[in-house]
């Protein structure tokens, strides 16, 4: 049995009826970025276990709230235009590449610590036997 996961605008909980909120989540899940979804109302009714008449009532509730801006019946279903920017954009699965850590020379490390030791002393400490 496969599950369908949807994103839901949390700020609308309590503002809409639970069925309208679920319908909105299903519509937002079907939106691929163009803010329009073309679905058959019979398919929505089957997903929500209700009648097509109830789906029409829920769509009118979403229109009254301004979340659905247009509805157009077509031969292949109903084209529903959603209000843009209800949800934040989907996160991409690509992770940025990590840059390799930069190695710091001993001289740079000493300079970063603002050491009071002179450069000559650093050379003696780092090369006690001199340059070979």
């Amino acid at each position: 049995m496969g599950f369908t996961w949807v994103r839901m605008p949390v700020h609308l909980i309590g503002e809409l009826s639970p069925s309208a909120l679920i319908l909105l989540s299903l519509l937002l899940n079907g939106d691929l970025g163009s803010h329009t979804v073309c679905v058959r109302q019979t398919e929505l009714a089957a997903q929500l276990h209700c009648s097509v008449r109830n789906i029409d009532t829920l769509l009118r509730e979403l229109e009254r709230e301004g979340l659905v801006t247009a509805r157009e019946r077509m031969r292949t279903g109903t084209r529903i235009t959603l209000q843009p920017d209800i949800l934040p954009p989907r996160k991409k699965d690509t992770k940025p590449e990590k840059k390799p850590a930069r190695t710091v020379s001993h001289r740079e490390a000493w300079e970063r610590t603002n050491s009071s030791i002179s450069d000559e002393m650093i050379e003696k400490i780092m090369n006690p036997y001199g340059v070979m």
Side-chain angles (χ1 to χ4, degrees):
M1 176 191 215
F3 294 107
T4 301
W5 296 92
V6 293
R7 301 182 305 160
M8 181 185 316
V10 176
H11 68 279
L12 293 176
I13 295 175
E15 301 291 323
L16 298 173
S17 67
S19 297
L21 191 59
I22 293 170
L23 176 61
L24 177 64
S25 297
L26 287 172
L27 294 174
L28 288 171
N29 196 45
D31 179 21
L32 299 176
S34 62
H35 305 298
T36 59
V37 181
C38 191
V39 293
R40 292 184 178 267
Q41 289 188 6
T42 54
E43 292 173 4
L44 291 174
Q47 283 182 320
L48 291 175
H49 305 289
C50 65
S51 66
V52 174
R53 190 174 194 176
N54 193 11
I55 294 294
D56 195 47
T57 302
L58 295 173
L59 285 171
R60 272 188 266 128
E61 180 180 349
L62 294 174
E63 284 177 339
R64 273 194 314 270
E65 294 295 324
L67 300 169
V68 170
T69 57
R71 209 174 13 150
E72 179 184 357
R73 293 200 185 250
M74 302 176 64
R75 177 179 275 176
T76 58
T78 304
R79 178 185 293 156
I80 300 168
T81 305
L82 302 169
Q83 176 189 10
D85 303 326
I86 296 173
L87 291 175
R90 294 178 188 254
K91 293 182 180 178
K92 295 183 180 181
D93 293 336
T94 59
K95 295 181 181 177
E97 294 181 22
K98 292 184 178 179
K99 295 181 181 178
R102 183 175 163 252
T103 57
V104 179
S105 69
H106 294 290
R107 178 179 290 288
E108 289 176 343
W110 279 102
E111 288 174 357
R112 285 184 185 173
T113 59
N114 295 326
S115 176
S116 61
I117 302 174
S118 67
D119 290 340
E120 295 168 3
M121 184 60 88
I122 292 174
E123 284 298 320
K124 286 183 181 179
I125 293 171
M126 299 309 292
N127 298 318
Y129 302 111
V131 180
M132 296 185 178

